Amino acid sequence: MDIHELRSFIAVAAVGSITRASEQLCLSQPAVSAHIKALEEELGLVLFRRNPRGMGLTDDGARLLSGAEAILAAHRDFLACAQLLRGRLSGPLRIAGGGNSDPEPPGLLVSALSARHPEIAVTLVQASSGEVIRGLREGNFDAGFFNAPAPDGAGRI
């Protein structure tokens, strides 16, 4: 099992679709499918069940999801610690913007980061305000801009 397989597992679980997960991860659909297949084979478990709306977690997949998220968070923390030890900021930064949010603040942020920390690789994702909030909660985004409440009214992260 590798970290890419866990990222794909978490992304497909979050968005319920290999297509959307591949877009979010900037990978091809066959790559994400291969990650899921390899993880299922290594674990000897079926993690997803296809349904009319895409992919849904099996009970086994749902039980393993929080562990996968913890591993991915530990991996990010480990890399962040190593980067601080090296004395520079580098690595991926995933920023999401709500559909109606002003594009200027993320643009200014990316511009300033690029000037001060050229080794940071910024990915900007456009999503609904609810998806931004959910993505922040689930660790799919590092930062987010939104200006409308989530459909369920849960605006706290």
Side-chain angles (χ1 to χ4, degrees):
M1 165 181 11
D2 70 22
I3 205 73
H4 303 292
E5 292 169 358
L6 289 177
R7 278 192 186 114
S8 292
F9 169 59
I10 292 167
V12 173
V15 299
S17 161
I18 287 180
T19 301
R20 286 186 290 165
S22 67
E23 291 167 357
Q24 184 181 69
L25 296 168
C26 298
L27 295 172
S28 68
Q29 290 178 18
V32 173
S33 292
H35 289 162
I36 299 301
K37 181 179 179 184
L39 187 58
E40 288 180 329
E41 286 177 359
E42 184 173 347
L43 298 174
L45 297 169
V46 176
L47 301 173
F48 292 98
R49 186 173 297 112
R50 291 196 181 277
N51 61 49
R53 293 182 292 156
M55 304 277 286
L57 283 170
T58 63
D59 289 342
D60 292 337
R63 285 189 190 110
L64 293 173
L65 182 59
S66 63
E69 291 169 337
I71 291 168
L72 198 57
H75 179 259
R76 281 193 303 264
D77 291 346
F78 178 82
L79 292 176
C81 182
Q83 290 164 1
L84 289 174
L85 291 173
R86 288 193 320 253
R88 64 181 188 260
L89 294 176
S90 64
L93 176 63
R94 299 154 306 165
I95 302 172
N100 294 327
S101 63
D102 183 355
E104 188 176 3
L108 293 172
L109 175 64
V110 170
S111 179
L113 283 171
S114 296
R116 291 185 182 161
H117 307 286
E119 293 182 21
I120 293 177
V122 178
T123 301
L124 294 173
V125 177
Q126 179 142 4
S128 70
S129 293
E131 289 169 329
V132 172
I133 293 168
R134 191 170 36 262
L136 288 167
R137 285 184 180 141
E138 295 171 356
N140 297 323
F141 306 127
D142 301 304
F145 294 86
F146 56 92
N147 61 0
D152 62 4
R156 290 190 167 181
I157 297 172

